[in-house]
Amino acid sequence: MLAVELPKWLSPARMAFFASLFLSLIAIAGTVTVGKDAALYLHISQEVIRQSPAVAFELFNWPWFSLLLAVTHRLSGVPLELAAYLWCAFLMAGTCALLVSITQRYVAGGGYWACLVVLSMPAFNHLRSDILREFGFWFFSVLALWRMLSWLELGGWLQATLAQLAVAVAALFRIEAVFLFPVLALCVLGDLKTRQGWLRLFQITSFSLAGIVTVGLLALSGHALYQPRVDYVVSLIDPQVFLARFNLMAAKFAEVALEKYSADEARQIVFFGLLLTLTTKFFALCGPLALPLLYRPGWHAVTNYWRQFRPLAWAWLLYFCMLLIFFVQERFINSRYVSFLNLLAVPVLTMALISFAKRFPRLGKMILIVALLVMLHNVVSFNPKKTHYLEAAAWLSQNTNPADAIFYEDSRLAYYAGRGYPSMPTRAEAMSPEHARAFRYFVLTVKPGDTSLQSWMTAQHKQVLSQFENRKGERVVVIGD
């Protein structure tokens, strides 16, 4: 299987890179509107271009991606939205190529199998049509781990510095990337019995140590170092805050779902429930590629993964713990956050798939075909587009004034109307008797069959000024006096 004759110049990593770009092109070609996060990033970039870089930190507490887009536009003249899509597509392609390169280095004949895995896994491939900071986080994190593997083989200050620098750049996209600094150190803990081992530990932690010393000196000199995003992350990993939130979650669960004589087991039930939820989500995001892991001999891939890809294995474990902490603190988790676990698991899934295909050639071919179909499904969508958003935004720009008090249930409508990306209260808060009079217009998204607005409009003496609908029956309703 996968023994197709290919040009010599088309290595697995190059194939992954160019195929990834092609898949991203297909996904982007089918988009009509950007996502909510994307609209925020683009709005910040617009304000940076219109005013100054300082405004970015007033609009968002970690705006480095938006600053990158603004600089790209300034230097190249490429429209912001196109620049964002290009950055995301190339960063995603680079991530795929690096993962294939990492896998084929240690798995004989695994290059093209890894190419199939990395291009078909639903976890991250279904996000190709969006504009997200995750693409930069993924690329530079995987680059750091790739450099780390090279450093473990070759040693030297250059590889160690490049690995740590890649982590620092990844953190500019998502600050959570700093968890990779302890990953780098954990990989050499077994060598600390010798002087050479301590030297290697110093090499791979020198960048982070220098950063800690610099921050300490600046703090002692009286410089203000407060950064809301950093403060937020620190609060998440505060043991006291974590335990308080976890105990509160367990107490509420016991109150709602358990009899009083089972309340003592609430903590265990909640903890293992969260573990099971995260694990299940990880396997679900693997799609059909999770099937070989049900084959018991395929479990040997996990052992080989730990032995040959130790930096990735440590990163998987630590990131899983980070997700668990986040789950407890914020009470939710989504597939976008979990996807990094699936990225890190590409080598182990590749090894399991190869083992399964050798033992069961026919079933292996079936998985191959299904994976190819999933690859297309990830980037091709036949769902109705949000064309009604664009139509509603055009109406708003022509029939309302920028100074009007308007409630946007989805701030993307304001973005497409040329009114920025305003921070809005929830729909329930905005439509409450206490706040409804503060808005002249209400721009609401309505699902098919929803008739709950009529009684509210009657009570508030308001009427539908205009409404717009897509093929699915989803509507945007503009309500006013």
Side-chain angles (χ1 to χ4, degrees), residues 156-188:
W157 282 97
L158 178 60
Q159 295 292 345
T161 302
L162 290 174
Q164 294 171 84
L165 185 60
V167 173
V169 177
L172 293 179
F173 287 89
R174 293 201 71 93
I175 194 173
E176 297 88 335
V178 296
F179 89 97
L180 288 172
F181 281 121
V183 166
L184 302 179
L186 286 168
C187 292
V188 294

Side-chain angles (χ1 to χ4, degrees), residues 24-247:
S24 293
L25 176 63
I26 295 174
I28 294 167
T31 60
V32 172
T33 57
V34 298
K36 293 182 180 180
D37 288 348
L40 172 61
Y41 305 147
L42 292 168
H43 166 61
I44 295 170
S45 299
Q46 290 171 346
E47 292 303 303
V48 168
I49 294 169
R50 191 171 65 86
Q51 300 182 49
S52 70
V55 74
F57 294 91
E58 298 174 8
L59 298 172
F60 188 49
N61 55 20
W62 207 250
W64 304 104
F65 180 50
S66 295
L67 290 171
L68 173 64
L69 300 182
V71 170
T72 303
H73 173 76
R74 280 269 178 88
L75 295 178
S76 66
V78 175
L80 279 173
E81 192 169 315
L82 177 58
Y85 277 126
L86 288 173
W87 270 113
C88 291
F90 276 97
L91 288 168
M92 185 62 177
T95 302
C96 293
L98 284 172
L99 286 168
V100 171
S101 178
I102 287 172
T103 304
Q104 73 174 104
R105 181 188 297 183
Y106 300 103
V107 181
Y112 293 111
W113 285 104
C115 193
L116 174 68
V117 170
V118 81
L119 294 175
S120 63
M121 197 184 304
F124 41 87
N125 283 290
H126 80 282
L127 298 170
R128 289 181 178 276
S129 61
D130 214 336
I131 296 169
L132 300 168
R133 293 181 293 145
E134 271 76 7
F135 293 109
F137 163 56
W138 293 340
F139 173 75
F140 287 102
S141 295
V142 174
L143 178 63
L145 295 167
W146 180 63
R147 286 294 183 184
M148 179 64 183
L149 288 165
S150 298
W151 177 79
L152 288 173
E153 289 182 358
L154 306 174
W157 282 97
L158 178 60
Q159 295 292 345
T161 302
L162 290 174
Q164 294 171 84
L165 185 60
V167 173
V169 177
L172 293 179
F173 287 89
R174 293 201 71 93
I175 194 173
E176 297 88 335
V178 296
F179 89 97
L180 288 172
F181 281 121
V183 166
L184 302 179
L186 286 168
C187 292
V188 294
L189 285 184
D191 301 330
L192 298 184
K193 298 177 182 179
T194 65
R195 184 177 179 180
Q196 182 66 22
W198 282 99
L199 175 61
R200 286 168 64 81
L201 178 63
F202 179 68
Q203 281 184 348
I204 205 61
T205 58
S206 58
F207 194 94
S208 52
L209 290 174
I212 293 171
V213 171
T214 301
V215 170
L217 291 174
L218 289 172
L220 290 173
S221 65
H223 285 77
L225 298 173
Y226 175 71
Q227 169 53 246
R229 196 69 175 185
V230 176
D231 188 61
Y232 166 71
V233 172
V234 171
S235 70
L236 288 180
I237 60 177
D238 185 324
Q240 290 184 334
V241 176
F242 174 79
L243 287 175
R245 295 277 179 87
F246 180 74
N247 288 333

